[in-house]
Structure formats: structure tokens, C-alpha cells
Amino acid sequence: MKELHMSEELICHNYNPDRPYVAISSTDGKSIDQPLGKAESLLIYQAGPPCPEPVEKRDIPLPSKGLGRWMQLGTALLDCQWLLVPTIGEAAFKILVNKGIMVYIIEGAITDALGLIATGGNLNTMARPEILARTTRGQEPGIRCTSSVCGGGGRGCYES
């Protein structure tokens, strides 16, 4: 199983033509500002050369009991190499990362994030400070759930 936190090895985001898209959770089409657990759709962008461009607004599975929603979402995003969200629960994070999707918990302008992806820049520069600073004993800095038991109940584990 992959290590499930945002670290230097996840920053390498070379363009993969088999997974050319970026999925973004947004309420206004301009900012990365919609918690994944509250999203009903994601904006999909073409990430590759020559420049990022919008592809579609993709409906995603609605909330359900258990992990089914996140497993369905992982399948629906198999053409996406990246998912950019301001908050995500640990269950969703684990499932999506294990589906090969690079999940970044960031906020800010969509154009800024797409620009970093297009140029191979570091998306961690857009990370929420409390996400990068959060650590627990024996762990590297990065994304960690603040609860000892997380059922992914849409409570927004990473919200401050």
C-alpha cells in the first residue's frame, strides 16, 4: 500500500498522457474551495501541453453509507492524474490515492494550480498551512487525520 501523506515523492507530477486530466472541487469555477464531501460535481481540466484547458463539469456519486461513494469516485476519476480539494476525509483520501490519483489539499485560484501543474511546479506552495504543519509522533509532516478512528463520515477530517 502507498504511503498516504503529501510528501516530496508526490510532488513529481510529470504529465501522463494516459491520465491527462485534473479534477477540481470548486463552488465558483475560479477557486479550489469546495470540500470533497460536499461536492456533487468536479471540474475537469486537460493538464497537458500546450496549456491547461477546461474539459467538462463531471457529476460525482452522491453521499452514501460506507465507502461506496469513494470507490465509485475513484473509478469515475481513472482518467485523472490529480485531484485538487481544500478538504477531504481520510477514507476518501486513501481510496483515491490507491487508485493512482495524486490528491492535493490546497486552496486558491484554479489558474494558479493549473499553472503549477503545467510547469512542473510545487503544488505544496498552495497547501493550507495547518495541513503542512500537522504532524504526530514518528510521522513526517504532511496529511494526517486528526482522529484516531476515521470512518470517512463526511465530517471534514482536515478542516480546522
Side-chain angles (χ1 to χ4, degrees):
M1 183 176 272
K2 296 177 186 176
E3 182 63 25
L4 301 175
H5 61 89
M6 196 158 55
S7 61
E8 292 300 317
E9 70 267 11
L10 291 182
I11 294 169
C12 179
H13 46 259
N14 296 322
Y15 178 71
N16 177 353
D18 295 329
R19 297 184 93 160
Y21 300 129
V22 180
I24 300 175
S25 191
S26 176
T27 60
D28 62 7
K30 297 177 184 177
S31 302
I32 302 162
D33 64 352
Q34 175 77 46
L36 184 61
K38 296 179 181 179
E40 295 180 5
S41 63
L42 297 172
L43 301 177
I44 307 297
Y45 285 81
Q46 172 77 35
C51 62
E53 55 186 57
V55 174
E56 68 176 309
K57 182 177 179 180
R58 188 176 295 175
D59 290 336
I60 63 173
L62 295 176
S64 61
K65 292 187 180 221
L67 303 177
R69 180 184 192 200
W70 308 125
M71 295 177 80
Q72 290 174 1
L73 180 60
T75 300
L77 296 180
L78 284 178
D79 58 351
C80 296
Q81 187 171 350
W82 302 270
L83 172 63
L84 311 180
V85 295
T87 61
I88 185 172
E90 186 164 347
F93 181 82
K94 286 180 180 181
I95 288 169
L96 296 173
V97 167
N98 280 306
K99 292 275 191 177
I101 299 166
M102 289 189 284
V103 177
Y104 285 92
I105 300 174
I106 62 176
E107 52 190 16
I110 290 172
T111 55
D112 291 347
L114 292 173
L116 287 170
I117 289 172
T119 61
N122 184 342
L123 285 168
N124 282 345
T125 61
M126 295 180 68
R128 294 173 48 190
E130 69 274 17
I131 296 298
L132 288 178
R134 183 175 295 146
T135 60
T136 59
R137 188 176 15 199
Q139 295 176 337
E140 296 294 318
I143 300 169
R144 296 289 180 212
C145 189
T146 57
S147 169
S148 61
V149 178
C150 181
R155 296 181 309 275
C157 293
Y158 299 113
E159 290 188 42
S160 56

